[in-house]
Amino acid sequence: MKIVKFFLLIILGASTSCTNNTVQPEETAIELQFLHNVNGDPLELDNIKYTNAVGQTYSIKTVKYFISRVTLHRTDGADITIPDIHYVDIRDDATLTYELSEKIPYGSYSGISFVYGLVPEDNVTGSLGLEIDRLMEWPVPMGGGYHYMKLEGDYNEAGNFFNFHSGSLDGVDYAIHVDLPNSAFDANTSKLNVGLVMEISNWFKNPVDWDFAYWGSGIMGNADAQATVQKNGTDVFSVSFPSSTL
Amino acid sequence: MNYKTAGGIFLLAIAMLSCKSDEQPAYTPTSYDLQIPEGFPEMEIPEGNPMTVEGIELGRKLYYDSILDQNQDRACATCHVQQRSFTSGPDVLPHVNLGWTYNWLWKGDVQGSLEDIMEFEVQHFFFTNLDNLKSDTEYPELFKKAFGTDEITYKRIEMALAQFLRTVNSGNSKFDKVQRGEAQFTNQENLGFELFFTERGDCFHCHATAFFTDGLLHNNALDANPDPGHFAISGDSLDYGKFKSPTLRNIEYTAPYMHDGRYATLEEVVDFYSEGLEKSPTVDPLMKQLSKGGVQLTDEEKAALVAFMKTLSDPDFIQNPEFSGIF
């Protein structure tokens, strides 16, 4: 009888360990792909072919920015916020796709939100490493931290530059908490590709038609300009779900 | 004791004896505690080249020794003169705070670590003849102290030079003292500081971070028909006219200015950024006042910017005996 009990225990132990090894949590990896449009079409860099709402022609030469704190909203009300900060440079292909550092459980999600720029606790000079400091540092005398975005180009003629740089100014935060419209999805595959589209022309309209000549070539120290960028930026981003993989 | 036990003891004794006879005394050079100036980020030091007192001493000796040159005509220090913040002319970028550098030389010829640029200097600039070092009376012993072997290789030369240059840091200027609360700017320097770090003067975008350089390559509108610059390296037409932003630390000691030394004084440099910009297709959009010829500073503002830049001078650095050629 003792021998029977012994083998029963072994079988029980083995079956328990098998169960633990085979049942994996069902999770989805989220890969973001950053896309940049003007008037609905893919951006063509270095070409003064676009026209803003006040009739000025313009080109785009630089698009560098941060997104952070991507949040996946579950239909059951639970939110999953990924504490990542991602830097995007349209001229650096390596930055144009990015897999979130944490997977999310299978289930139904009501939408996606994120922060354009950095929340104050992330926006600390030197905290993102020297490589990012070189590219995006915001001077300490203007409040420190990082540029949220460098959007640059010509207007009216080549060499007539605008620097549409946004960031927090003197302690006032001008980041944008973006709730992506039409971003509900079901996580039921191992990987979900999410296209994050920046409609660049929207930075220059709604509610304020941006006049490059009025605001001047540089706006970093102008609180009104930073507030206007923040207002205009609320409808700049949208989402697409190009495909998913099992 | 049976025969198995006796045999075991015998084998163990043999093993111990053989271990003892093969074992070399472990060589441990003295670890060097690098002091990073306040306000500077941590320096990334390659795992394969930890800093040691002996390695730094060897690197410093090599830096000042013309033995590195295949013709033995010149040393690193021939062109990199300490009293001028380790430069001597427009072709020679200063050797200061190099442990945080990634793009090397004016045109960005080399990317990578200090070891990578030292490989370039030793093997492709000096064309070092290893036999000269191997037959020297001192170097084999110095390499043994630094690396545990007297075998002299290009790699160990480059590692020693990199170790020395990681110590050659400047962070004790008046600017640094003001940041630490140990000094105050004059009114003029303070105006220059404000101009520098706002878009009025707009120096900070390229002369960024604690090192007063972004280390990146830009066309700063020097010429309507610029020198090819980084295009000569990359072959990308977008890189035409691009040169590395130099550090402004110790800029007072490093005249003349720009990659071709066209400006003899800081005043001339400020005049250029104020009203001397020239259009060409690849000018960086950060030169945002290009269409006006520059940022259009008043005479008072120009003088203030120069005064501020001179607060980046670090007299302790250019006199530091630990960096000198006097041993």
Side-chain angles (χ1 to χ4, degrees):
Chain A
M1 191 59 193
K2 276 184 181 175
I3 291 172
V4 172
K5 277 185 181 173
F6 176 73
F7 279 110
L8 277 175
L9 278 172
I10 287 177
I11 291 165
L12 188 63
S15 64
T16 306
S17 62
C18 282
T19 305
N20 286 344
N21 285 340
T22 54
V23 176
Q24 296 294 326
E26 294 178 314
E27 293 182 323
T28 297
I30 306 283
E31 182 169 281
L32 301 177
Q33 181 180 7
F34 298 90
L35 305 166
H36 305 88
N37 290 347
V38 178
N39 303 324
D41 294 323
L43 168 65
E44 184 180 330
L45 286 164
D46 303 317
N47 191 341
I48 308 176
K49 62 182 285 189
Y50 304 114
T51 305
N52 67 7
V54 300
Q56 295 159 327
T57 55
Y58 67 94
S59 73
I60 299 295
K61 301 172 86 70
T62 306
V63 188
K64 300 174 178 175
Y65 59 101
F66 290 110
I67 70 146
S68 60
R69 307 279 174 141
V70 174
T71 301
L72 299 312
H73 302 274
R74 290 173 63 100
T75 49
D76 64 9
D79 291 346
I80 301 170
T81 297
I82 313 294
D84 297 354
I85 296 167
H86 183 64
Y87 167 73
V88 180
D89 177 351
I90 197 168
R91 294 191 189 269
D92 181 355
D93 288 345
T95 69
L96 299 180
T97 56
Y98 175 66
E99 186 172 309
L100 297 181
S101 65
E102 296 174 17
K103 295 178 179 178
I104 60 170
Y106 278 12
S108 185
Y109 289 78
S110 60
I112 304 171
S113 65
F114 67 91
V115 172
Y116 153 81
L118 302 165
V119 297
E121 52 265 47
D122 292 338
N123 193 25
V124 178
T125 299
S127 62
L128 301 183
L130 183 58
E131 189 178 344
I132 293 295
D133 290 357
R134 289 178 176 129
L135 295 162
M136 297 295 275
E137 188 178 72
W138 184 275
V140 170
M142 284 197 272
Y146 295 92
H147 289 73
Y148 296 159
M149 179 173 68
K150 290 180 175 177
L151 180 65
E152 299 161 0
D154 316 272
Y155 71 96
N156 290 342
E157 63 181 73
N160 198 32
F161 294 136
F162 66 87
N163 281 195
F164 192 87
H165 290 191
S166 85
S168 71
L169 177 62
D170 298 329
V172 180
D173 180 22
Y174 295 105
I176 305 171
H177 292 261
V178 179
D179 287 311
L180 288 167
N182 306 313
S183 59
F185 66 96
D186 289 322
N188 51 19
T189 55
S190 62
K191 188 170 187 178
L192 183 70
N193 295 314
V194 178
L196 199 57
V197 185
M198 176 191 280
E199 174 48 62
I200 290 172
S201 64
N202 283 6
W203 287 112
F204 306 134
K205 62 186 179 186
N206 188 28
V208 177
D209 291 340
W210 190 268
D211 182 331
F212 292 115
Y214 171 78
W215 291 104
S217 295
I219 59 169
M220 290 176 65
N222 184 334
D224 287 343
Q226 294 299 327
T228 303
V229 173
Q230 187 184 40
K231 286 178 197 164
N232 280 7
T234 55
D235 64 353
V236 159
F237 293 96
S238 61
V239 70
S240 66
F241 295 99
S243 63
S244 59
T245 52
L246 289 172
Chain B
M1 183 184 292
N2 60 30
Y3 71 93
K4 281 185 180 173
T5 309
I9 289 171
F10 177 73
L11 285 174
L12 188 62
I14 293 291
M16 288 174 72
L17 283 171
S18 64
C19 278
K20 200 168 184 179
S21 63
D22 287 350
E23 201 170 87
Q24 297 291 324
Y27 179 75
T28 50
T30 314
S31 179
Y32 181 83
D33 183 18
L34 180 66
Q35 299 298 310
I36 303 288
E38 187 175 322
F40 283 23
E42 287 300 305
M43 187 190 293
E44 286 184 25
I45 297 170
E47 278 186 21
N49 192 21
M51 295 179 69
T52 66
V53 171
E54 293 82 0
I56 292 162
E57 284 178 1
L58 172 59
R60 181 177 161 203
K61 182 173 173 60
L62 288 165
Y63 191 86
Y64 282 94
D65 196 337
S66 60
I67 198 168
L68 284 186
D69 184 3
Q70 66 171 343
N71 299 319
Q72 305 203 40
D73 285 339
R74 54 188 174 173
C76 304
T78 306
C79 298
H80 296 280
V81 178
Q82 182 178 11
Q83 289 70 26
R84 298 184 61 189
S85 195
F86 292 99
T87 179
S88 60
D91 292 340
V92 184
L93 279 165
H95 281 176
V96 52
N97 302 327
L98 296 188
W100 293 273
T101 298
Y102 176 75
N103 273 316
W104 302 94
L105 309 178
W106 274 111
K107 295 180 181 177
D109 307 50
V110 177
Q111 281 85 44
S113 66
L114 255 170
E115 283 77 3
D116 294 320
I117 186 63
M118 288 302 111
E119 177 184 328
F120 174 87
E121 299 288 357
V122 170
Q123 299 186 46
H124 307 295
F125 180 76
F126 283 128
F127 299 101
T128 300
N129 183 347
L130 292 179
D131 290 338
N132 291 339
L133 288 116
K134 288 175 181 175
S135 60
D136 185 82
T137 55
E138 292 181 73
Y139 277 110
E141 181 61 22
L142 293 174
F143 274 83
K144 190 170 186 179
K145 284 183 178 174
F147 298 112
T149 171
D150 58 7
E151 187 188 354
I152 298 175
T153 64
Y154 287 124
K155 186 170 183 180
R156 293 195 181 104
I157 295 170
E158 293 147 16
M159 288 166 69
L161 286 167
Q163 286 190 42
F164 168 60
L165 286 168
R166 287 197 172 94
T167 70
V168 181
N169 299 320
S170 172
N172 198 30
S173 64
K174 180 173 184 180
F175 169 82
D176 298 300
K177 290 174 181 170
V178 171
Q179 301 308 302
R180 299 196 297 259
E182 299 167 6
Q184 286 191 319
F185 287 138
T186 65
N187 288 339
Q188 187 184 46
E189 290 164 352
N190 209 42
L191 173 60
F193 172 83
E194 289 177 17
L195 290 164
F196 191 98
F197 286 109
T198 62
E199 287 181 300
R200 175 75 187 100
D202 208 357
C203 312
F204 64 90
H205 276 114
C206 298
H207 296 287
T209 79
F211 308 109
F212 286 85
T213 173
D214 62 0
L216 303 175
L217 303 152
H218 306 272
N219 177 347
N220 64 343
L222 271 176
D223 295 301
N225 295 298
D227 179 309
H230 189 56
F231 170 78
I233 309 300
S234 73
D236 184 340
S237 61
L238 292 174
D239 290 331
Y240 213 87
K242 289 186 179 178
F243 291 88
K244 180 181 170 179
S245 316
T247 179
L248 297 188
R249 284 193 175 270
N250 297 317
I251 193 71
E252 183 181 7
Y253 308 137
T254 66
Y257 304 108
M258 302 296 170
H259 66 274
D260 52 7
R262 69 179 64 188
Y263 299 129
T265 65
L266 287 173
E267 285 77 6
E268 290 178 30
V269 173
V270 172
D271 283 345
F272 159 70
Y273 284 113
S274 178
E275 55 257 356
L277 307 187
E278 296 278 358
K279 284 188 180 181
S280 67
T282 57
V283 170
D284 197 303
L286 288 171
M287 308 302 295
K288 60 173 74 77
Q289 302 299 346
L290 176 66
S291 61
K292 296 177 184 170
V295 290
Q296 303 293 317
L297 300 173
T298 65
D299 288 346
E300 181 190 10
E301 288 172 326
K302 289 178 181 179
L305 260 183
V306 171
F308 171 69
M309 283 191 278
K310 289 182 177 177
T311 72
L312 303 175
S313 301
D314 181 353
D316 295 342
F317 174 76
I318 62 168
Q319 297 167 24
N320 189 334
E322 293 182 12
F323 309 150
S324 78
I326 302 166
F327 297 91

